[in-house]
Amino acid sequence: PVGDSGCTHDVFNEPECFHSVVELKRPIKMDVGCEGMYITVTHVGDVPVLTRAPNGEERKCTFKNAFFSRECSGNFISNS
């Protein structure tokens, strides 16, 4: 995933990343920063991620209520 300080939500484009996922009854059009450009979010769920600390210790964190969109160019996490 790419850390993006401009992200308002965590967005993933790989369905296999999700531990649990729910299809939205009404998809969300999400602005992607360029005027008139958007992606369509179709699902929301939790994405577990394994990270490694500088000391080598592995840590598991979960991005809760992350968005899924096949139209997203990558996996983006909000760090704002």
Side-chain angles (χ1 to χ4, degrees), residues 1-2 4 6-7 10 16-17 24-25 29 37 44 47-48 52 55 59 61-63 65 67 69-70 72-73 80:
V2 175
D4 185 345
C7 280
D10 304 315
E16 60 274 7
C17 290
L24 298 174
K25 290 181 182 179
K29 286 188 176 183
M37 300 286 290
V44 65
V47 178
R52 187 176 309 275
N55 67 0
R59 298 179 185 173
C61 64
T62 300
F63 295 97
N65 299 314
F67 287 167
S69 175
R70 287 198 186 276
C72 193
S73 62
S80 56

Side-chain angles (χ1 to χ4, degrees), residues 37-52:
M37 300 286 290
Y38 66 89
I39 58 173
T40 303
V41 175
T42 57
H43 295 74
V44 65
D46 299 339
V47 178
V49 176
L50 190 62
T51 62
R52 187 176 309 275

Side-chain angles (χ1 to χ4, degrees), residues 66-80:
F67 287 167
F68 169 77
S69 175
R70 287 198 186 276
E71 299 168 357
C72 193
S73 62
N75 298 319
F76 296 89
I77 56 174
S78 172
N79 60 2
S80 56

Side-chain angles (χ1 to χ4, degrees), residues 2-19:
V2 175
D4 185 345
S5 62
C7 280
T8 55
H9 294 84
D10 304 315
V11 185
F12 293 80
N13 69 352
E14 300 173 51
E16 60 274 7
C17 290
F18 288 82
H19 179 289

